[in-house]
């Protein structure tokens, strides 16, 4: 219980993290091994101070082809050093041998039968350097890392999802409400996706707030305020994990698998604590499964008819291969960890330093 209270209440750690090519390195992990044969040339590239689309446009200009001729699995940060795989037809192989760019390097090449598609990604490995880390901050960071190893973290969308000013979701809502027209399809989709993400984050915050209240109070003291049945709150109180599952939640096998409705709250909460499955949250839209019962009573507050396809997203994730290296002479703490696709390293940092 003492450890859990530290998890719920730990204070801000005053260190410096700057998202740049020296202190933030991302390495993409493909979903599958490339076959080594086929008509598509797979380029393993390393880029710095370039978004994925920037890198593709540089290569397309060099080859005098369309950027649409390239395939990629995921979009990587601009303010970082990133390693990822992209594909293009192998007819360009010879010309690419003379490619040179100060911020973009082709590390190696192979072949594959198919063009790389969005989502063909297992996850990403991260290297992050925190600065101005004294002895007290070091101890607090190590304690926070221990809790992440034990409990995992909320799978919030990172600030990058919401645009430079953080308000893309407002444009998305205005488009849905008919208050704003955006003719450019890619921008319209980006704004609506930001609104879907905002609703998901808001729902996740609500569920975490409920979980913290259940941890902090006895069921009889809190069940009416939560508008939940006393017997359900008692069941939630018994759950080991700090994020409390509720009747009607949609769970997913972890790190991949089918989505299903919770049946036995006690049994499934234990399997969640064992990392065998996780709760999911709603990305509002068409053709998406919604939760039921008590879980839906909360979820429906964050539901919207976005016009886009909806999805379920992990509400919680478990970072893997976590390690830290403290450089006392420089007051640096270097962290390494792996996240499943669609999760944000900046949210791991936020969880550590609050």
């Amino acid at each position: 219980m003492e450890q859990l209270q530290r998890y719920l209440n730990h204070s801000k750690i005053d260190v410096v993290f700057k998202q740049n090519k020296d202190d933030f390195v991302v390495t993409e992990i493909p979903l599958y091994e490339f076959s080594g044969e086929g008509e598509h040339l797979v380029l393993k590239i390393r880029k710095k101070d370039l978004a994925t689309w920037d890198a593709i446009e540089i290569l397309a200009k060099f080859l005098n082809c369309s950027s649409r001729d390239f395939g990629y699995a995921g979009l990587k940060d601009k303010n970082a050093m990133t390693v990822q795989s992209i594909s293009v037809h192998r007819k360009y192989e010879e010309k690419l041998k003379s490619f040179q760019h100060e911020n973009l390097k082709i590390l190696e090449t192979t072949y594959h039968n198919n063009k790389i598609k969005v989502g063909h990604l297992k996850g990403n490995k991260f290297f992050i350097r925190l600065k101005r880390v004294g002895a007290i901050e070091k101890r607090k960071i190590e304690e926070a890392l221990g809790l992440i190893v034990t409990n995992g973290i909320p799978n919030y969308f990172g600030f990058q999802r919401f645009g430079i000013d953080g308000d893309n979701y407002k444009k998305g809502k205005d488009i849905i409400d008919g208050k704003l027209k955006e003719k450019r399809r890619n921008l319209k989709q980006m704004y609506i996706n930001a609104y879907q993400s905002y609703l998901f984050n808001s729902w996740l915050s609500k569920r975490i707030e409920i979980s913290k209240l259940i941890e902090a109070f006895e069921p009889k003291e809190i069940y009416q305020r939560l508008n939940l049945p006393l017997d359900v709150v008692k069941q939630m109180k018994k759950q080991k994990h700090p994020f409390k599952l509720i009747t009607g939640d949609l769970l997913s096998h972890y790190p991949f698998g089918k989505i299903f409705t919770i049946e036995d709250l006690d049994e499934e909460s234990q399997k969640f604590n064992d990392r065998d499955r996780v709760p999911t949250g709603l990305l509002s839209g068409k053709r998406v499964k919604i939760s039921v019962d008590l879980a839906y009573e909360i979820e429906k507050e964050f539901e919207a008819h976005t016009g886009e396809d909806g999805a379920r997203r992990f509400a919680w994730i478990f970072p893997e291969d976590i390690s830290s290296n403290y450089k006392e002479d420089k007051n640096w703490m270097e962290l390494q960890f792996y996240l499943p696709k669609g999760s944000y390293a900046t949210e791991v940092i936020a969880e550590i330093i609050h």
Side-chain angles (χ1 to χ4, degrees), residues 210-224:
I210 290 169
S211 297
K212 287 183 177 182
L213 288 170
I214 287 171
E215 274 296 332
F217 294 92
E218 289 304 312
K220 283 185 179 179
E221 298 174 304
I222 201 69
Y223 80 98
Q224 288 179 318

Side-chain angles (χ1 to χ4, degrees), residues 134-302:
I136 293 171
E137 289 80 16
K138 171 184 179 288
R139 180 180 56 77
K140 287 182 177 181
I141 289 169
E142 288 173 343
E143 187 176 273
L145 285 173
L147 291 170
I148 289 172
V149 168
T150 302
N151 296 317
I153 64 167
N155 193 27
Y156 284 113
F157 283 99
F159 64 87
Q160 306 93 316
R161 186 77 166 183
F162 302 103
I164 294 170
D165 297 321
D167 62 355
N168 280 356
Y169 74 93
K170 294 179 182 177
K171 294 175 183 174
K173 185 178 189 306
D174 286 346
I175 289 169
I176 292 164
D177 293 343
K179 297 176 183 176
L180 177 69
K181 292 198 182 300
E182 177 54 69
K183 291 181 180 178
R184 291 166 291 184
R185 171 65 188 162
N186 59 334
L187 280 183
K188 179 182 177 183
Q189 187 169 358
M190 182 177 75
Y191 295 145
I192 292 175
N193 289 162
Y195 184 53
Q196 289 173 309
S197 304
Y198 169 78
L199 291 172
F200 174 90
N201 279 6
S202 302
W203 165 85
L204 184 52
S205 292
K206 177 75 171 180
R207 286 292 300 266
I208 289 172
E209 178 191 346
I210 290 169
S211 297
K212 287 183 177 182
L213 288 170
I214 287 171
E215 274 296 332
F217 294 92
E218 289 304 312
K220 283 185 179 179
E221 298 174 304
I222 201 69
Y223 80 98
Q224 288 179 318
R225 179 177 166 184
L226 297 177
N227 198 27
L228 293 171
L230 179 59
D231 61 328
V232 173
V233 175
K234 285 180 177 178
Q235 275 187 293
M236 293 169 77
K237 179 80 174 178
K238 287 191 297 182
Q239 294 174 22
K240 293 179 184 177
H241 198 277
F243 186 90
K244 307 303 180 187
L245 303 186
I246 193 170
T247 310
D249 264 332
L250 284 175
L251 306 184
S252 171
H253 292 281
Y254 187 87
F256 47 80
K258 286 187 176 179
I259 289 174
F260 59 96
T261 306
I262 201 168
E263 291 185 2
D264 187 317
L265 207 54
D266 292 336
E267 182 183 335
E268 297 298 347
S269 66
Q270 182 56 51
K271 289 180 178 177
F272 170 36
N273 199 58
D274 294 339
R275 305 174 177 225
D276 183 65
R277 56 208 54 195
V278 293
T280 68
L282 176 69
L283 290 177
S284 284
K286 301 178 291 185
R287 294 190 287 274
V288 63
K289 198 171 183 180
I290 58 172
S291 59
V292 295
D293 299 338
L294 296 172
Y296 181 65
E297 289 303 307
I298 299 167
E299 185 173 281
K300 69 182 181 183
E301 295 176 42
F302 307 95

Side-chain angles (χ1 to χ4, degrees), residues 9-40:
N9 301 317
H10 102 218
S11 57
K12 185 176 184 298
I13 301 171
D14 190 18
V15 298
V16 173
F17 168 57
K18 290 186 178 176
Q19 202 171 323
N20 58 44
K21 61 181 172 51
D22 297 316
D23 300 332
F24 190 40
V25 181
V26 187
T27 303
E28 185 179 87
I29 309 300
L31 184 61
Y32 45 73
E33 283 191 33
F34 301 114
S35 64
E37 56 186 37
E39 64 181 37
H40 295 273

Side-chain angles (χ1 to χ4, degrees), residues 90-136:
R90 69 183 293 170
K91 68 184 179 183
Y92 296 113
E93 182 174 14
E94 194 60 36
K95 189 170 183 182
L96 281 168
K97 287 178 180 176
S98 61
F99 175 78
Q100 286 188 316
H101 191 281
E102 61 178 357
N103 289 352
L104 179 59
K105 183 177 177 64
I106 299 171
L107 300 176
E108 58 185 63
T109 61
T110 186
Y111 308 105
H112 196 59
N113 313 87
N114 306 312
K115 186 178 183 178
I116 297 176
K117 293 182 180 177
V118 173
H120 285 194
L121 177 65
K122 184 181 179 187
N124 298 286
K125 286 183 180 176
F126 296 91
F127 167 88
I128 283 170
R129 182 181 288 128
L130 304 176
K131 295 181 176 177
R132 293 191 206 163
V133 180
I136 293 171

Side-chain angles (χ1 to χ4, degrees), residues 10 12 17 148 156 344-354:
H10 102 218
K12 185 176 184 298
F17 168 57
I148 289 172
Y156 284 113
Y344 290 78
T346 48
E347 289 306 302
V348 178
I349 300 306
E351 193 67 22
I352 291 169
I353 67 177
H354 275 229

